[in-house]
Amino acid sequence: MALKILVVDGNLAAVNQLNKSLGGSPSGEGYVAALRFLDPEIQATIVHPADDGPDCLPTGVTLADFDGIAWTGSALNAYSGEDAVTHQVPLARASVESGVPVFGSCWGMQIVAQALGGTVQACEQGREIGIGREILLNAAGRDHPLFAGRNPCYSALTVHMDEVSVVPDGAIVLAGNRHSAIQAFVLETSQYRFWGVQYHPEYSLAELAAIFRRYGQRLMDAGLFENQQALDTMAADWFTLHENPDRHDLAWRYGVSEDVLKPSSRLIELRNWLDHLVRPYVAQR
């Protein structure tokens, strides 16, 4: 039986359209593509609460109708009082409280933390973008099925300006690095089934290249690129490396390891979510 997955696209439509125009994908569509790489038979429904509000599910459909719920990234700030954010908070809370297995990438982890009593703040060390390096699993993380097959120290594709500083009551932190102490946490009780990571296992190098272009001047202002030419060169090289992963010269130049270059490694957390949380949940229903 095909898995039914709800994908909650946390971005505004305008941001998704801009990302698409620069060679990337709308957040929800990119997430569906990653999930279907792992399981081509997945039946996905995408909703857009940032634009459509908390009542964004199709008529007659409830959260309990799904086998899993995946929350995408977003350019929004979870602590903001703007409508695009406040519309998502009740849906994030309801997603976890439904008992359906939930996975959150970046914004997905942040908005769930915010909705359930945790704290999200601007990163003390500024933006982390491109490759999040030296992410370390703690003792709980090394034993958790979220990271089955993952090395204790690894890299991941990432882009975030905010971070979870306090997890909700009952949550367990599994990983961190020198940039953000909380790179992954889970909230698992008799009812709750939430796994979240601060990075983007669903992203490709091409997606990050589009984001470099979208952020543009902000990255130069932060001192991450000397000028527009340097940014354009890196973006073009990452698009090339996405299309030709055997370009070892480019992989070496940017320190791109197999953790993020190969889908089999990059998608480990999502694969584990499907195999160790979603499918067992379906089997016991």
Side-chain angles (χ1 to χ4, degrees):
M1 182 180 299
L3 296 176
K4 294 182 291 184
I5 305 295
L6 176 67
V7 175
V8 184
D9 187 328
N11 256 323
L12 288 162
V15 174
N16 278 327
Q17 184 57 43
L18 177 58
N19 213 52
K20 186 175 181 178
S21 72
L22 295 171
S25 304
S27 297
E29 293 178 19
Y31 221 107
V32 171
L35 290 170
R36 285 183 174 155
F37 180 90
L38 297 170
D39 181 350
E41 295 185 357
I42 279 177
Q43 297 177 2
T45 299
I46 303 174
V47 293
H48 303 88
D51 291 293
D52 300 337
D55 300 321
C56 55
L57 291 176
T59 302
V61 174
T62 70
L63 294 172
D65 293 327
F66 295 95
D67 302 318
I69 303 170
W71 280 75
T72 76
S74 175
L76 296 166
N77 306 102
Y79 45 78
S80 166
E82 61 186 298
D83 289 347
V85 174
T86 59
H87 286 169
Q88 299 193 57
V89 171
L91 182 60
R93 183 183 304 112
S95 294
V96 177
E97 292 179 346
S98 72
V100 176
V102 180
F103 191 98
S105 295
C106 193
W107 163 261
M109 185 178 84
Q110 294 171 9
I111 195 65
V112 165
Q114 187 82 6
L116 296 179
T119 303
V120 179
Q121 64 181 31
C123 293
E124 293 184 358
Q125 299 196 50
R127 190 186 306 278
E128 185 178 33
I129 186 169
I131 300 176
R133 302 184 189 276
E134 296 182 333
I135 301 172
L136 294 174
L137 299 178
N138 59 25
R142 291 192 295 272
D143 291 336
H144 198 280
L146 170 58
F147 296 109
R150 178 69 75 195
N151 290 325
C153 181
Y154 62 98
S155 299
L157 294 177
T158 193
V159 51
H160 66 110
M161 192 69 176
D162 297 332
E163 61 189 2
V164 176
S165 56
V166 179
V167 297
D169 288 347
I172 299 173
V173 176
L174 301 182
N177 70 353
R178 282 181 284 189
H179 188 281
S180 294
I182 301 174
Q183 288 281 353
F185 79 80
V186 296
L187 181 57
E188 298 172 299
T189 68
S190 59
Q191 180 184 4
Y192 297 167
R193 301 173 177 87
F194 174 76
W195 292 0
V197 296
Q198 181 53 70
Y199 45 90
H200 290 273
E202 77 280 9
Y203 275 5
S204 66
L205 293 171
E207 199 66 45
L208 258 298
I211 290 172
F212 294 154
R213 291 173 172 171
R214 173 160 62 87
Y215 278 53
Q217 187 62 47
R218 283 174 284 177
L219 301 183
M220 289 180 276
D221 291 343
L224 301 181
F225 291 96
E226 182 179 4
N227 50 41
Q228 186 66 47
Q229 182 180 357
L231 189 155
D232 290 341
T233 296
M234 184 170 179
D237 284 346
W238 279 40
F239 272 117
T240 298
L241 188 54
H242 170 74
E243 295 293 335
N244 301 281
D246 58 346
R247 283 289 303 271
H248 301 300
D249 58 323
L250 294 179
W252 176 83
R253 181 181 303 168
Y254 296 105
V256 179
S257 67
E258 291 188 2
D259 286 345
V260 298
L261 187 57
K262 292 186 175 181
S264 58
S265 297
R266 193 173 66 243
L267 295 168
I268 279 176
E269 291 86 349
L270 282 175
R271 182 185 299 277
N272 287 337
W273 178 65
L274 293 174
D275 290 347
H276 294 283
L277 206 57
V278 175
R279 289 191 173 93
Y281 169 76
V282 173
Q284 72 182 16
R285 283 207 293 188

